[in-house]
Amino acid sequence: MEKSIFYISKYAKSPEQGGATRQYLYSKYFAKNNNKTILISSNSCGGQDLKITKAYQKKEVNKNFTHVIIKGRPINLGFSLKRIISWLFFEFRLYKYFKNNTLKKEDIVIVSSLSLLTFFTGVYLKKKYEMTLVVEVRDIWPQVLVDFKTISKRNLIYILLSKIEKIGYKKADLIVGTMKNLPLHLDKINLKLKDKFVYMPMGFDSDVVNTHKIDKSEKFIVGYAGTIGKANKVDLILEAAKLLKNNKKIEFRLLGDGPLKEEFKNVYEKFDNIFFYDKVMKKDVIKFLINCDVLVNPWEDKPIYRFGISPNKWIDYMQAGKPIIIPYNGYRNIIDEAECGEFIETNNPELFAETILKYSEKTEIELHMIGTKGKEYLLSNLTYDILAKKYLKHMANVQVNS
């Protein structure tokens, strides 16, 4: 009997919504491997909401891939009570959707955080239809709220979300994490579920072809592309740039928008080695990146990072084929494995500046060799075509052994 894969994530996006997310791309390649795939998301994603008129918008992407978008209430970026209410609204409509659609024991349901409330829906579907349940974790909630001091462990929201998190892990047939060291978190919350865990990092859509050409500058360009906010630690880049202001060879370019952009511009644009650029479409980010000599991505020093991270930014940087410098105190992988740059201690602008200076003194051939390692690693290990086949194999093994 033909099985279907139901991939549920409130925040999944299609290319038309500003750039395809992980869930959309996995769905695309599940379908390419002859699996009937139904991706279910919300039009309410925070910041870039898609306007739809019906309760459910259904799009047949191809013969094996259907994208169902559930109409939700608009929300703002950041954690708030309004966001939790939007989670509840999504689950209510999700329940109504499955009430009108028949599932089979052979089917697979993947529930991808965030929202954590979708774990409940996954558990309900598993119990009702005896289908395989995959819990996918991209951010460790609610622990991330505590580590970023949004709420305390005594907060009722934290207590409730923690219970939901544990129920999801316990009932899952397979736990998929984008952070390689997630088993440490499972141990920390007293769940001995390491055997259920598989690591599936963020990936690269090899169907996207880069046709941009490099316009070589006489300067050594240090580039950053992303949100300009507190959590992104952009101030560390700017402080390193200030320390290198007398080096006329090195120039810093920052692409993107964010809550701190205007404040930073007011403070740092007076330095003639710092330049801010407005946000561009996802497909055009690569043009900015390939015209840099080295790419940077600083992180705050937070306990949550000891479990690892797998940001889309690293994929974009590796695709550009440039050396990468990452101030970061957490669990390290991908960049080290690819040997396409280095991690350094975060919150140390002097060390950051010294490291950038070290790279600026390398030859073009040396820089090219380092950056090429990242691109080759990406194409050999992290395309969604490759990752989707691994994902499907893990799910098939679970079904065989259950």
Side-chain angles (χ1 to χ4, degrees):
M1 199 171 188
E2 184 186 36
K3 73 170 183 287
S4 297
I5 300 172
F6 291 87
Y7 204 150
I8 309 171
S9 176
K10 184 179 186 297
Y11 298 98
K13 293 182 183 179
S14 67
E16 295 77 23
Q17 291 172 269
T21 56
R22 167 189 176 90
Q23 303 88 346
Y24 186 94
L25 292 168
Y26 267 122
S27 297
K28 170 183 167 181
Y29 284 97
F30 289 165
K32 278 193 173 186
N33 283 277
N34 298 315
N35 294 275
K36 186 178 179 183
T37 307
I38 301 92
L39 173 65
I40 306 173
S41 64
S42 172
N43 72 312
S44 178
C45 299
Q48 290 183 329
D49 291 351
L50 177 69
K51 292 182 179 179
I52 60 175
T53 55
K54 299 178 181 179
Y56 306 95
Q57 177 176 293
K58 187 176 180 180
K59 180 180 179 181
E60 302 291 341
V61 181
N62 58 50
K63 68 174 184 177
N64 286 328
F65 179 14
T66 301
H67 188 188
V68 177
I69 302 176
I70 296 176
K71 186 177 182 180
R73 298 179 179 182
I75 55 173
N76 298 319
L77 293 172
F79 182 73
S80 64
L81 181 60
K82 191 174 181 179
R83 180 172 288 264
I84 292 179
I85 292 171
S86 80
W87 292 357
L88 291 166
F89 194 78
F90 177 74
E91 299 307 318
F92 172 71
R93 285 209 158 145
L94 192 58
Y95 171 78
K96 290 183 70 176
Y97 170 84
F98 280 111
K99 191 176 180 181
N100 297 320
N101 289 269
T102 303
L103 282 74
K104 309 179 294 295
K105 182 177 180 180
E106 293 78 14
D107 293 340
I108 296 171
V109 59
I110 305 172
V111 291
S112 181
S113 66
L114 208 58
S115 132
L116 274 184
L117 299 188
T118 306
F119 284 13
F120 263 153
T121 300
V123 171
Y124 162 75
L125 294 173
K126 176 183 178 179
K127 183 176 181 181
K128 183 174 181 179
Y129 299 103
E130 298 182 348
M131 59 198 302
T132 300
L133 173 61
V134 179
V135 166
E136 183 179 84
V137 187
R138 295 176 294 115
D139 292 296
I140 302 176
W141 282 59
Q143 185 60 46
V144 66
L145 297 175
V146 173
D147 287 354
F148 277 87
K149 303 188 186 310
T150 305
I151 60 176
S152 75
K153 287 189 174 182
R154 294 187 295 273
N155 189 292
L156 180 61
I157 292 174
Y158 174 85
I159 294 169
L160 289 173
L161 290 180
S162 292
K163 290 185 180 297
I164 294 170
E165 178 195 25
K166 286 186 176 182
I167 290 170
Y169 289 148
K170 287 178 180 178
K171 298 296 183 181
D173 297 293
L174 186 68
I175 300 170
V176 173
T178 60
M179 58 291 296
K180 196 170 187 178
N181 207 26
L182 182 64
L184 178 64
H185 172 67
L186 297 175
D187 288 344
K188 191 173 183 295
I189 59 175
N190 298 316
L191 296 177
K192 306 300 180 184
L193 301 174
K194 186 177 180 179
D195 291 343
K196 284 187 180 183
F197 171 75
V198 294
Y199 166 59
M200 299 296 300
M202 305 304 285
F204 165 65
D205 186 5
S206 52
D207 283 350
V208 178
V209 179
N210 170 29
T211 59
H212 296 295
K213 295 182 179 179
I214 297 176
D215 301 318
K216 185 58 185 168
S217 169
E218 292 182 1
K219 300 278 190 176
F220 181 86
I221 308 299
V222 180
Y224 168 85
T227 304
I228 300 177
K230 184 179 179 182
N232 310 95
K233 203 60 185 171
V234 173
D235 58 313
L236 190 61
I237 303 173
L238 298 168
E239 285 300 303
K242 188 167 73 171
L243 290 170
L244 293 169
K245 65 181 185 295
N246 293 325
N247 188 313
K248 301 304 179 184
K249 176 185 175 183
I250 303 174
E251 184 175 290
F252 290 76
R253 297 181 183 179
L254 292 86
L255 175 75
D257 293 326
L260 294 180
K261 183 174 181 179
E262 290 307 313
E263 179 184 330
F264 285 156
K265 285 177 71 174
N266 291 336
V267 175
Y268 292 98
E269 267 196 328
K270 63 184 178 183
F271 298 103
D272 59 10
N273 65 335
I274 299 174
F275 298 87
F276 292 88
Y277 296 84
D278 291 335
K279 183 179 179 181
V280 297
M281 294 291 290
K282 172 74 173 177
K283 63 182 179 63
D284 295 321
V285 172
I286 189 66
K287 182 178 180 180
F288 170 85
L289 297 176
I290 65 173
N291 282 294
C292 298
D293 293 289
V294 68
L295 299 168
V296 296
N297 178 213
W299 293 78
E300 288 199 82
D301 185 11
K302 297 292 183 182
I304 194 72
Y305 298 139
R306 67 190 181 278
F307 307 118
I309 53 176
S310 179
N312 278 314
K313 193 185 309 299
W314 293 1
I315 303 299
D316 294 338
Y317 283 9
M318 293 167 79
Q319 182 192 357
K322 303 294 178 177
I324 305 167
I325 304 171
I326 304 175
Y328 170 71
N329 291 348
Y331 182 88
R332 302 175 176 185
N333 66 309
I334 296 181
I335 304 302
D336 276 354
E337 292 160 6
E339 298 180 337
C340 61
E342 65 181 285
F343 293 98
I344 62 171
E345 176 190 353
T346 196
N347 293 334
N348 189 335
E350 290 80 13
L351 176 61
F352 197 10
E354 288 172 12
T355 307
I356 291 168
L357 184 61
K358 178 182 72 175
Y359 276 80
S360 74
E361 293 170 347
K362 292 182 183 293
T363 66
E364 284 190 28
I365 293 175
E366 289 174 319
L367 294 171
H368 178 74
M369 288 177 64
I370 297 170
T372 299
K373 285 183 179 181
K375 192 167 186 176
E376 289 176 347
Y377 183 89
L378 182 70
L379 294 173
S380 300
N381 300 278
L382 299 179
T383 69
Y384 276 110
D385 186 16
I386 293 170
L387 293 173
K389 288 173 181 174
K390 289 182 179 179
Y391 209 140
L392 289 167
K393 185 176 181 180
H394 286 303
M395 290 190 290
N397 288 341
V398 168
Q399 287 191 309
V400 168
N401 295 323
S402 61

